[in-house]
Amino acid sequence: MGSQRGLRQSPSGSSGPDFESTEPWRGTDIEAAVEDSCLGGLPASILDRLLAEAHVLRYPAGVEVPRLRLPKGRDEPDSFQPPSLVADGLLRVFRRHVDEREVTARYVSAGDLIGLWGVLGDARPPALDARLNTEVIHDTVALAFDRDVCRAMLDDEPIFGRILCQYVFGQFLAAQDALAGSVLLPVRSRVAGHLLDMAERREHDLVVHATAQRLAAAAGSVREVVSRVLREMEGLGLVQRNAGELVLLDTAGLHRLASGEGQGGAYWAPGS
């Protein structure tokens, strides 16, 4: 990418004052994030067009990514998440059902895109869209694009549409794997996978800041079951609970457990 021309900070009305970036990008290389993403394959002139109305948003851990409101009278759902490229951090995309149960769709980290439903899903059912949410796991910096610019580029820049199609197809394949895991693997494997996805490096340790309830929501289980699984993991030396956090002690073992290995003699007694 030749330059950061056109990138601007925190336009008024983007997503609310709590999430606007009001200072230069400190600690995050936005240009490198774009180059390393699927968007890095765009010709410079097309990329400049996409970035002309882009702005940086910062989301603190523990909140949900807010939706933008559309003017009344438009014949489409009245809110959407801004199409964005994650430059740093970790998000969890999940679907919240009417009974408040949650199921995790995917984790989003640096180089991933979110909010494409607002660009590609013109005919999406509003009721389904309303149940799709994005939780901020680690402090996150995102580069948000103008939705109308993205839609216009789909009409007259074929390479832009092709790159988005390739990205969405990759996510579709990943979602198939995740669905198979959520249906076929036991709760302990799903919890192990979510611990690995949510972990952040803290000096020499990998640490997860999450309660049993939060892990249960992510894994599609209940708090009592997840609490028992965490006690079993701690007894086996896989994790250590410390002041409301979980330290991952044996990541290789957790990876094996997350993949479905070690369900018998290696870690768990038969039937446990």
Side-chain angles (χ1 to χ4, degrees):
M1 189 174 71
S3 69
Q4 292 181 354
R5 182 182 61 193
L7 290 177
R8 56 192 176 87
Q9 302 288 321
S10 59
S12 69
S14 60
S15 64
D18 291 341
F19 306 106
E20 294 175 357
S21 176
T22 56
E23 58 187 42
W25 316 313
R26 295 178 181 173
T28 300
D29 189 340
I30 301 294
E31 185 173 10
V34 174
E35 289 180 342
D36 292 341
S37 73
C38 63
L39 302 177
L42 291 172
S45 60
I46 298 176
L47 191 56
D48 283 347
R49 179 181 175 187
L50 178 65
L51 297 179
E53 297 298 325
H55 56 277
V56 176
L57 299 176
R58 299 178 184 272
Y59 301 116
V63 304
E64 290 187 12
V65 175
R67 295 168 177 265
L68 301 183
R69 291 287 175 180
L70 292 174
K72 292 183 178 180
R74 295 184 62 161
D75 187 22
E76 55 185 319
D78 66 352
S79 66
F80 66 96
Q81 291 179 350
S84 307
L85 171 71
V86 175
D88 190 25
L90 182 67
L91 307 170
R92 179 176 75 97
V93 180
F94 65 96
R95 187 170 296 282
R96 179 178 290 132
H97 294 271
V98 291
D99 60 1
E100 294 301 312
R101 290 186 301 167
E102 298 175 2
V103 59
T104 300
R106 64 177 178 132
Y107 286 93
V108 182
S109 56
D112 282 325
L113 299 172
I114 59 171
L116 292 182
W117 208 342
V119 177
L120 303 173
D122 290 344
R124 67 195 189 279
L128 291 179
D129 190 22
R131 298 173 195 160
L132 191 67
N133 300 273
T134 303
E135 175 191 15
V136 184
I137 303 297
H138 303 159
D139 290 350
T140 295
V141 179
L143 183 62
F145 308 112
D146 184 273
R147 188 190 64 155
D148 292 333
V149 170
C150 291
R151 286 183 168 183
M153 290 177 62
L154 283 176
D155 291 335
D156 50 32
E157 302 288 1
I159 189 173
F160 181 65
R162 184 165 64 249
I163 281 178
L164 288 190
C165 285
Q166 291 170 342
Y167 177 80
V168 171
F169 182 67
Q171 292 300 311
F172 171 72
L173 296 179
Q176 286 184 319
D177 287 340
L179 178 61
S182 66
V183 172
L184 301 176
L185 291 176
V187 172
R188 61 178 70 96
S189 292
R190 304 203 300 268
V191 171
H194 286 290
L195 288 174
L196 292 166
D197 285 331
M198 298 171 70
E200 61 179 325
R201 177 67 62 181
R202 191 174 300 170
E203 295 183 352
H204 301 295
D205 295 325
L206 279 175
V207 179
V208 175
H209 184 74
T211 63
Q213 180 61 52
R214 186 178 181 189
L215 285 169
S221 183
V222 295
R223 181 179 58 81
E224 293 78 10
V225 172
V226 171
S227 294
R228 185 181 72 244
V229 168
L230 292 176
R231 287 196 298 271
E232 293 172 337
M233 286 182 173
E234 188 170 26
L236 293 166
L238 296 173
V239 303
Q240 179 180 10
R241 289 185 285 188
N242 182 22
E245 296 181 332
L246 290 162
V247 181
L248 307 191
L249 302 178
D250 183 358
T251 55
L254 288 169
H255 275 289
R256 289 193 294 271
L257 188 58
S259 68
E261 298 179 20
Q263 296 299 327
Y267 291 110
W268 310 92
S272 67

